[in-house]
Amino acid sequence: MKIGLISPAGVTTGDENLGHIFNENRDLKNYIQSFTRAISSGLLVIASLTPKDIEITLIDENFDNIDYDEDFGLIGISAMTHQATRAYEIADEFRRRGIQVAIGGIHATVLPDEAKKHCDFVFIGEAEETWPVFIQDFINGNPLEFYKSERLIDMSLTPIPSYGLLQKERYKVIWMQTSRGCPHDCEFCGSSRVYGYKYRHKTIHQVIDELNAIHAIWPDARINFADDNLLVDRSFSKELFRELKKLNFRWFAQSDISIANDEEFLKTLKDAGCTTLFIGFESISESSLSTINKNKWKLRQLADYSKAIEQVQSKGIGVVGAFIIGLDGDTKDTFNILIDFIINNHIYTPQITILTPLPGTRLFERLEKEGRLMNIPWSHYTFTEVSYVPKNISPVELKNSLYEIYEKVYSKEVRNIVSRHFKKIFKEINLN
Amino acid sequence: MNNSNMIIAENNNLRKNIIKTLAVIARINEKEISDTVLIKEELGIDSIMSLEIIANIEKHYQIQINEQDTLTIATVGEFIDYVVNIINKK
């Protein structure tokens, strides 16, 4: 039997003006391409969980055309919300030809009944334990319609993703996951609801084996860590850094501002090859930040934002500063203050997104209750389009504000200032 | 050694040093770096690594590089020629 594993094409933005800015600015284009020209490791894990006598064809729709007439015995699709519309089109097309389709990933996990309308088998939650059971059921001719992971899986049992299925020359950035779970419970984020609040990670030996597997294929790869927060467990991080340094990888990770106070840790990060660090600041408005976490953790960090950015960037690590606009405390004035904040703090890669009520999140539930959700296709859930009724401004104003912010913080003048700032930092560090 | 031979020898040293800087900062094996290799697409050198490389070269050779000029540079060879040209003009 041959299984086709498909990663549907994603949409960067449906906004033409914004698309132009994304395309014209080299720094921004590089950053966006590190996501759009990469593939998540989910399908590669599924491939590793599949018995070796089953042939696997991996189809990354960002590069490949789908041949619907290929002799597949089964199709597997993994999709996030913005890919869901396309995932269903693909599934419908295969099913018209009599080929059965299984779907998993975050969107199917939170909306399994919707996914079932287009697919034969739906995976809810992590698939490490359910996929092997399903394959056996499928071969025996008695598969179930839903496969639900009844518990958070022990990550030490996760196999090394089948990186060998990827065409080597296509991918310069390799996404890797070492942990799942996040304690923060942000209203807009579905991660903790899907992966739980408890931080779980692979063993250091697993991670080392996985890094070596990547290194054997791409000795000069850049690793992007997909973990919500790679640096939660410092002793684990330090062991990881030692290996990353040994293999001479350059890498990107997500974290939070609590790492900024640890001067020695930041130096070790840089030394281990970290080039950029994603930090979710979300907002610089007190009223907006107060709505995000139940425990107001982000709000309590606000006073330290500038200092934290300076501390991280002074080590030669570029901050990818993530901000959300359209939170309920936001007004038009908030956006002007945000522009000044980004410029004054020389944030290397500002990432500004429109608040997006992803299904499965507390935000989605609240806005649905308040009757503020717009009925638009999932393909518009790109984080650059408005899918709900904002509180203090109109949807058009919000959309235009995103464009204006990007235009200002990525203007040639501002980027030159940022470049000069970083050149000064690198000269001071004097790595030679 | 006559003047033109000295210049060639100096330029060869420059080339070696620039390639070494690229390799160290971008964490790439020097053997992978040749004149025809594409900086972004093949070596995966992104903008922050580019700035670090430029800053190191500026500091080492006491020159000024305008990043805007480097935006159109595609290959390692073009970058080296650009830097060598600035140094020789000093």
Side-chain angles (χ1 to χ4, degrees):
Chain A
M1 180 171 68
K2 181 157 77 175
I3 299 179
L5 294 180
I6 302 177
S7 175
V11 186
T12 307
T13 179
D15 184 318
E16 204 176 302
N17 290 330
L18 206 54
H20 184 71
I21 292 184
F22 288 176
N23 219 25
E24 286 301 298
N25 187 285
R26 184 187 61 158
D27 298 346
L28 192 53
K29 192 175 172 183
N30 284 344
Y31 174 66
I32 291 169
Q33 282 183 351
S34 72
F35 290 84
T36 55
R37 299 224 176 144
I39 191 164
S40 77
S41 56
L43 285 175
L44 304 179
V45 171
I46 291 296
S48 297
L49 294 166
T50 306
K52 298 295 163 235
D53 57 337
I54 295 176
E55 191 187 339
I56 301 267
T57 300
L58 184 76
I59 301 164
D60 178 353
E61 225 197 343
N62 287 315
F63 295 97
D64 301 308
N65 291 319
I66 299 171
D67 179 359
Y68 291 97
D69 296 317
E70 205 172 325
D71 58 339
F72 292 119
L74 175 70
I75 292 293
I77 301 177
S78 177
M80 292 186 282
T81 294
H82 71 103
Q83 297 168 298
T85 310
R86 178 65 190 143
Y88 296 154
E89 286 170 3
I90 295 167
D92 294 344
E93 200 58 47
F94 274 110
R95 291 176 86 202
R96 261 194 285 279
R97 287 162 167 79
I99 300 170
Q100 291 185 298
V101 178
I103 192 165
I106 255 181
H107 190 80
T109 290
V110 297
L111 294 177
D113 293 329
E114 176 193 280
K116 184 66 186 70
K117 288 177 192 159
H118 301 272
C119 303
D120 301 281
F121 318 109
V122 180
F123 284 76
I124 302 166
E126 298 163 297
E128 274 87 350
E129 290 180 340
T130 48
W131 180 261
V133 174
F134 161 70
I135 286 294
Q136 218 42 60
D137 291 348
F138 186 79
I139 290 167
N140 295 338
N142 56 358
L144 306 174
E145 292 183 334
F146 294 94
Y147 285 83
K148 185 176 181 184
S149 186
E150 296 297 342
R151 56 186 174 135
L152 296 174
I153 69 116
D154 174 356
M155 285 199 76
S156 69
L157 305 174
T158 303
I160 293 177
S162 297
Y163 292 108
L165 286 174
L166 298 177
Q167 286 190 33
K168 182 184 170 183
E169 64 284 357
R170 282 182 177 173
Y171 303 95
K172 283 288 159 203
V173 175
I174 306 301
W175 284 84
M176 177 176 167
Q177 185 185 52
T178 74
S179 65
R180 292 177 193 159
C182 177
H184 285 314
D185 190 32
C186 295
E187 190 192 28
F188 54 80
C189 179
S191 179
S192 42
R193 286 202 152 188
V194 174
Y195 290 133
Y197 301 102
K198 195 179 168 217
Y199 178 72
R200 298 168 283 147
H201 61 71
K202 295 175 182 171
T203 67
I204 193 68
H205 295 295
Q206 266 178 296
V207 174
I208 290 170
D209 287 347
E210 192 167 333
L211 285 169
N212 281 318
I214 294 170
H215 193 263
I217 303 171
W218 299 273
D220 298 321
R222 174 176 144 177
I223 310 285
N224 275 11
F225 287 100
D227 310 47
D228 287 319
N229 191 341
L230 182 74
L231 311 174
V232 172
D233 180 341
R234 296 285 159 88
S235 60
F236 175 80
S237 298
K238 283 175 186 168
E239 282 190 79
L240 174 62
F241 294 170
R242 265 195 292 278
E243 202 58 30
L244 287 163
K245 190 177 174 185
K246 206 192 304 169
L247 292 171
N248 210 22
F249 276 133
R250 52 246 161 115
W251 50 277
F252 154 97
Q254 302 181 61
S255 187
D256 61 57
I257 78 161
S258 62
I259 61 145
N261 292 324
D262 194 336
E263 184 91 355
E264 279 312 305
F265 189 70
L266 287 175
K267 280 184 192 160
T268 326
L269 266 176
K270 172 68 180 165
D271 195 38
C274 177
T275 59
T276 38
L277 206 53
F278 179 105
I279 299 178
F281 297 105
E282 324 309 357
S283 177
I284 53 161
S285 152
E286 279 186 31
S287 57
S288 289
L289 274 183
S290 66
T291 65
I292 289 176
N293 300 106
K294 279 179 183 163
N295 63 5
K296 309 245 186 294
W297 188 84
K298 297 242 170 178
L299 177 63
R300 281 186 272 122
Q301 314 304 314
L302 177 60
D304 296 326
Y305 275 9
S306 292
K307 193 176 160 208
I309 294 164
E310 200 274 325
Q311 282 167 319
V312 174
Q313 295 200 147
S314 68
K315 302 294 174 301
I317 297 168
V319 166
V320 179
F323 300 92
I324 298 169
I325 62 168
L327 293 157
D328 277 357
D330 286 358
T331 63
K332 191 87 173 107
D333 288 341
T334 318
F335 307 149
N336 291 326
I337 298 167
L338 176 62
I339 290 169
D340 289 343
F341 180 85
I342 290 170
I343 293 173
N344 292 339
N345 287 287
H346 305 105
I347 294 180
Y348 190 72
T349 307
Q351 177 195 289
I352 306 96
T353 51
I354 288 178
L355 182 68
T356 302
L358 293 171
T361 60
R362 287 194 289 118
L363 176 69
F364 186 93
E365 287 162 11
R366 177 168 68 82
L367 295 182
E368 191 175 41
K369 239 182 253 171
E370 293 171 4
R372 291 168 61 192
L373 290 179
M374 292 177 179
N375 188 18
I376 61 169
W378 299 125
S379 54
H380 290 279
Y381 277 59
T382 58
F383 302 93
T384 63
E385 293 165 78
V386 184
S387 53
Y388 71 103
V389 181
K391 201 165 189 182
N392 303 313
I393 47 174
S394 73
V396 174
E397 274 180 317
L398 181 56
K399 191 179 167 186
N400 290 342
S401 296
L402 184 68
Y403 176 76
E404 282 167 27
I405 296 170
Y406 267 108
E407 199 177 38
K408 285 185 179 152
V409 301
Y410 280 97
S411 68
K412 202 179 258 184
E413 189 194 359
V414 171
R415 295 314 294 172
N416 281 342
I417 292 169
V418 172
S419 293
R420 283 200 294 275
H421 180 74
F422 270 85
K423 271 166 66 172
K424 191 165 166 271
I425 288 169
F426 286 128
K427 284 179 186 176
E428 281 164 7
I429 293 173
N430 193 9
L431 287 172
N432 278 339
Chain B
M1 194 183 274
N2 63 32
N3 273 351
S4 61
N5 282 344
M6 274 173 69
I7 290 168
I8 290 168
E10 276 175 25
N11 284 352
N12 280 340
N13 265 340
L14 269 174
R15 298 184 91 81
K16 276 185 196 163
N17 279 337
I18 293 169
I19 286 176
K20 194 177 174 191
T21 304
L22 283 169
V24 170
I25 291 173
R27 296 173 184 254
I28 298 165
N29 190 328
E30 268 183 61
K31 287 176 192 161
E32 305 285 321
I33 305 176
S34 66
D35 277 9
T36 55
V37 168
L38 295 166
I39 296 169
K40 183 183 154 234
E41 294 82 356
E42 292 182 84
L43 296 182
I45 295 178
D46 64 13
S47 60
I48 198 160
M49 285 186 257
S50 301
L51 281 175
E52 190 169 357
I53 290 162
I54 288 170
N56 272 262
I57 290 172
E58 280 189 356
K59 186 171 183 178
H60 188 77
Y61 294 106
Q62 296 293 301
I63 57 168
Q64 282 297 315
I65 294 173
N66 181 345
E67 299 85 67
Q68 292 297 323
D69 292 346
T70 64
L71 293 179
T72 52
I73 291 174
T75 65
V76 170
E78 286 167 22
F79 178 67
I80 293 172
D81 289 344
Y82 171 80
V83 174
V84 168
N85 193 31
I86 293 178
I87 293 170
N88 287 340
K89 274 184 189 165
K90 245 193 353 176

